Structure formats: C-alpha cells, structure tokens
Amino acid sequence: MSKPKRQHYVPQFYLRNFKDESSDNLINCFNIKTKKPYKASISKVAQKKYFYESSKNNLEYQLSLIEKESSKYINNLVENKKYKYLNNLNIRANLSYFMSLQFIRTNDKREWIINHSYELKDEISQEVEIPQKFQKLFDELPSEEHVKNWHLEYIEKFSLKFFKYFYYKKWILIKNKTNLNFWTSDNPISIWNPINPPGLGRECSFIFYPLSPRLCICLADPFHFSNLDQGRNSSIGLNILKATSFKFKDEVDVINNNMIEVDSCNMNVFSKDCDFEILF
C-alpha cells in the first residue's frame, strides 16, 4: 500500500462538512496573514508533505484508522443533530480521544515546538558557554527532523493524557439557527476562557469544535457552564453527566464563536461560503 504524500493535520472527511456548495472538492479559505480569501481543493489545505513521517516514527496510518472510526460518529451528528447521541459513553470516549489528537496534531503545535526551542536555545546560550566541539551541533538545533520527532513523540505521549480534559466536561451540542455559518480552521479545536488565560485544564475554559456550518460541539467546565447564558436554555445544567443542546438564534453569538476560531487558527480559516467580510 502506497503512503500518502500529502498528510492532513485536519482530516479531509471533516473539512468536507464545510465544502463549497458548488463543488465536493472545494472549500472557501481566508489567509489571516495575507488577509486574502480564496477557494482551494480540500486535498491541498491543512496538510504538508510527509507531516507524520520521520526517521524514528510514522503515525499516518495509525491516525487514518482513528479518523475512519471517529468519522462515523461525527457524520452521524452532522446528519441527525441529536445531542442525546453524545450520552453514549463509548461514543463520547471515542470523540474525546479524537479531539485530543486533533488538538495536538496540527502544524500550529509544531510551530509552537519550534518557537519554544529557539527561546530555550537563546536562554542556554546566554547562561552556558557551549564547548567548541558541540558548537556546530548546537547551532543546527532545532533541525526540522528533530522538531518532527519531538512533535510525533508528543502526539503519542499526550493524546491520552489530554483525554480527560475533553471527556469530563459538560457536553453541549450548539445548533446554529441564524443565517450565518460556523467557520472552522487549520487548528479547529479552540479554547475560550472568560476569566483566565485559555488552557485545556484551566478553570472556566470552554472548548469549541465546529462540526459543520450548522453545528458545533462545546465542552464546558461543568461547574461554570452558566457563562453560556443558561437563562436562554434552562435544560443546561439539569445533569452534569448528560449532554444537552443549545441554540444560537442571535448572529452575534455565531460571530463571537467564529472569532474564537480565528484567534485559534494557524493560517487559514475555512467556511462553506466566502463570507469573511468581517476579517478585512
């Protein structure tokens, strides 16, 4: 079996939920660095050549198997929009692991490793005199191969450790009842916190994962989910262990949700339509 050259850090099955209506293969993109919208083939976005292959590791096949299993549950949610489906603990466990993987498998996290490696390198060089025989090796760090190996090891080690930050949340299926679309991005798991800096394990953090232009999973801190304005939906909070639903009827809510996604993205925001006017 031939190995795929283009390896997606956001699965193609997921991106197709946001495909342009004119084609099964196109998606509307907005590059936040160039501030330009464009259409692109789904096969050519949120991917890099051999992104999950290194001299020490190859995660592409393993990730493809996980995607195949999780896609059944995500597509079922998108098609049926039944929040009670999330009360099945096996499905919730599968999606928690899938989202944990999605959170750490992106190019955004690889760039985070690069940036922090340079910061650490600068600190070391200021505090320690590097022996001459190691200077060349030190100057070459962090190499692309080293960073890739570190990232792949990070994915393997922390995907299960991060699982708890998804599973033990209040699961809310947000239904978009407005004329606007939910957007997604090349770093689709976004975190918002009204009090503290955003972080998976931080008190009051909300995790958002758009599933389609009409649907978004929200994982709320079970003791602080009233920040979603539960007055508009009294079913929220009746039982911490049970999933529930929430309707966005005000376009402001959708815009705010999309801006959280923009803040999280690495380079590209994606939408069903070319509706990025607010970003210009």
Side-chain angles (χ1 to χ4, degrees):
M1 182 175 64
S2 61
K3 295 182 294 184
K5 185 176 180 180
R6 291 176 179 158
Q7 298 177 350
H8 286 73
Y9 43 85
V10 180
Q12 293 187 77
F13 87 83
Y14 168 80
L15 292 172
R16 289 191 188 99
N17 291 335
F18 298 86
K19 66 182 178 64
D20 186 271
E21 289 185 341
S22 66
S23 170
D24 287 340
N25 300 314
L26 294 177
I27 192 167
N28 291 282
C29 313
F30 186 89
N31 186 306
I32 63 167
K33 296 181 180 179
T34 65
K35 302 295 183 183
K36 292 182 179 179
Y38 63 99
K39 290 184 192 289
S41 169
I42 290 173
S43 65
K44 295 182 179 179
V45 299
Q47 55 80 31
K48 285 194 171 184
K49 293 180 181 178
Y50 305 113
F51 190 71
Y52 296 114
E53 295 182 36
S54 72
S55 58
K56 294 183 178 180
N57 217 330
N58 185 347
L59 297 185
E60 175 66 13
Y61 180 66
Q62 178 183 347
L63 289 169
S64 70
L65 294 179
I66 295 169
E67 290 173 15
K68 184 177 180 181
E69 181 70 14
S70 297
S71 67
K72 296 184 295 186
Y73 305 130
I74 290 176
N75 290 338
N76 183 294
L77 275 170
V78 170
E79 181 177 355
N80 297 309
K81 301 178 176 62
K82 302 294 185 182
Y83 74 88
K84 291 183 179 180
Y85 187 66
L86 295 171
N87 286 325
N88 183 311
L89 297 186
N90 289 328
I91 293 173
R92 188 181 295 194
N94 179 284
L95 293 178
S96 295
Y97 183 60
F98 177 81
M99 286 190 281
S100 176
L101 274 172
Q102 180 61 83
F103 179 73
I104 60 178
R105 65 182 283 190
T106 61
N107 190 55
D108 179 78
K109 299 305 181 290
R110 187 164 296 182
E111 290 186 359
W112 182 91
I113 293 173
I114 293 172
N115 293 335
H116 281 72
S117 296
Y118 278 119
E119 290 175 8
L120 179 60
K121 182 178 177 180
D122 288 341
E123 289 180 12
I124 292 173
S125 63
Q126 291 173 21
E127 299 293 333
V128 178
E129 184 176 351
I130 307 300
Q132 189 63 37
K133 62 180 179 179
F134 296 122
Q135 187 65 52
K136 183 178 179 182
L137 177 63
F138 184 78
D139 291 342
E140 292 174 353
L141 293 175
S143 70
E144 182 178 350
E145 188 68 9
H146 279 107
V147 169
K148 183 181 286 190
N149 281 323
W150 292 336
H151 187 207
L152 299 186
E153 290 174 10
Y154 179 76
I155 291 171
E156 288 191 304
K157 289 180 180 179
F158 286 94
S159 54
L160 277 175
K161 290 185 178 181
F162 288 168
F163 169 90
K164 64 183 178 182
Y165 297 123
F166 295 86
Y167 186 82
Y168 296 108
K169 286 286 197 293
K170 180 68 178 180
W171 284 61
I172 304 165
L173 192 63
I174 301 176
K175 300 178 181 180
N176 180 0
K177 298 297 183 179
T178 76
N179 293 323
L180 301 182
N181 297 316
F182 280 139
W183 298 344
T184 190
S185 77
D186 53 9
N187 191 40
I189 304 290
S190 57
I191 304 174
W192 173 75
N193 193 309
I195 300 172
N196 303 307
L200 276 183
R202 289 216 171 97
E203 185 180 17
C204 296
S205 282
F206 292 79
I207 300 170
F208 293 93
Y209 183 43
L211 299 181
S212 76
R214 301 286 99 198
L215 216 59
C216 179
I217 286 179
C218 172
L219 306 182
D221 180 332
F223 300 106
H224 297 87
F225 55 81
S226 60
N227 284 304
L228 274 179
D229 187 7
Q230 66 175 4
R232 287 187 288 166
N233 190 329
S234 59
S235 68
I236 293 180
L238 293 179
N239 192 320
I240 292 295
L241 297 178
K242 290 185 178 180
T244 190
S245 65
F246 190 83
K247 294 178 181 178
F248 277 1
K249 297 180 180 180
D250 190 332
E251 291 185 350
V252 172
D253 290 329
V254 178
I255 292 171
N256 288 338
N257 204 86
N258 287 342
M259 295 312 296
I260 292 171
E261 196 69 23
V262 171
D263 290 341
S264 174
C265 89
N266 180 246
M267 182 176 291
N268 285 302
V269 180
F270 305 120
S271 179
K272 179 175 74 73
D273 300 314
C274 188
D275 50 1
F276 305 115
E277 292 84 1
I278 195 172
L279 298 180
F280 286 101

